[in-house]
Amino acid sequence: MKPSGSPRIGLALGGGAARGLSHIGALEGLEEAGIPMDVIAGTSMGALVGACYAAFPNARKVHEAFLRFIYSEHFPIDRFDFLRDHLSAEEMEEPLPGPIQQFKKVVQKGFFYGSSVVRRSFVPEEDFRKGIEMLLPDLRIEQLSIPFVAVATDLSSGREVLLSKGPLREAVLASSAIPGVFPPVSYEGRELVDGSWVHNIPVEPVRKLGADIVIAMDISRDIQDTSHWRRGLNIVFRTNAITRSVLQKIQLQGSDVCLRPDIGRMHWGDFREPEECIAIGREEAYRKLPLIRSVINQWASKDIKS
């Protein structure tokens, strides 16, 4: 039972695919420190981890469930390996040592773009759904132990869609449907995709759930200073990354504490070392515990005075 007069603490979990495994470690660290999560909002991988924890508020069990899934035959590791090896965070070309390697990269990258042209996604819809079903129970969001909202993007209107009721699996599918990689999700007459394009770190959505204090998890990759502007497509991806970075910084201003695990070097498609990523998230939670406790004490002191 939460003590009377205690603040409602909300967790805003951002998108970042494989880097989102660090969310699990952060939850472990916060749980061990006795910091309760009263409400959770998640985008993309943040929605998947957040929904799993909201259904089963035990970080160790969430940790074990994700490891079972990643090491199972149902996880499309070969497809993520392909994306990791041939698509960078901003889809920026890196200098390669010779013409044979360059040719190989161009052909394989062309395969990805070609498959996206003739099909709705790189990963088939049935594989996408099977993975979500392995991790999440067949519940409605209203039945979860912790209030939860998943953030998605409406392809037609371009608007943010907050999914705080209805089928849990569908909401998480929609929030994590990376365009081109996973298929859009048809939901109540709308075509929904990954929420990262409108709200990568859902600080405002978790406030709407009633959070007094918001702890945000930023697992995005820093914009690198580079001058490899050799092709128009590179420039398109670069400018898109800049726009999203600026928007994200604005959205993060509404948080009280921001956890930034040191995983910027990790590719979003690299699921080869999940334990390392989880451990880095746990370490960041431990590092920020004094600040989190200070914010909680300040809130309590203001509440007493008022």
Side-chain angles (χ1 to χ4, degrees), residues 91-219:
E91 185 31 333
M92 297 300 297
E93 291 271 349
E94 293 295 335
L96 291 172
I100 293 177
Q101 290 88 341
Q102 277 281 19
F103 178 73
K104 179 182 177 183
K105 188 166 185 177
V106 168
V107 169
Q108 290 177 316
K109 195 169 292 184
F111 172 78
F112 170 76
Y113 290 129
S115 69
S116 297
V117 169
V118 299
R119 299 200 302 258
R120 276 168 67 85
S121 63
F122 185 62
V123 176
E125 182 172 357
E126 57 269 25
D127 293 347
F128 187 31
R129 287 185 173 275
K130 190 177 295 182
I132 298 294
E133 289 168 2
M134 282 189 66
L135 285 167
L136 296 178
D138 188 13
L139 295 174
R140 293 181 64 82
I141 296 175
E142 302 94 310
Q143 296 175 287
L144 297 177
S145 300
I146 299 173
F148 170 77
V149 62
V151 182
T153 304
D154 186 331
L155 262 181
S156 178
S157 69
R159 293 177 180 172
E160 172 187 84
V161 178
L162 302 183
L163 302 170
S164 58
K165 60 182 180 180
L168 177 64
R169 289 173 174 172
E170 290 299 307
V172 174
L173 278 165
S175 181
S176 52
I178 304 171
V181 178
F182 299 122
V185 174
S186 298
Y187 189 91
E188 296 183 351
R190 294 176 291 195
E191 289 284 292
L192 304 181
V193 295
D194 195 309
S196 298
W197 267 255
V198 289
H199 225 133
N200 192 39
I201 306 175
V203 173
E204 183 182 350
V206 85
R207 289 279 186 202
K208 289 180 178 178
L209 283 179
D212 299 307
I213 293 172
V214 175
I215 301 172
M217 274 284 287
D218 179 6
I219 55 170

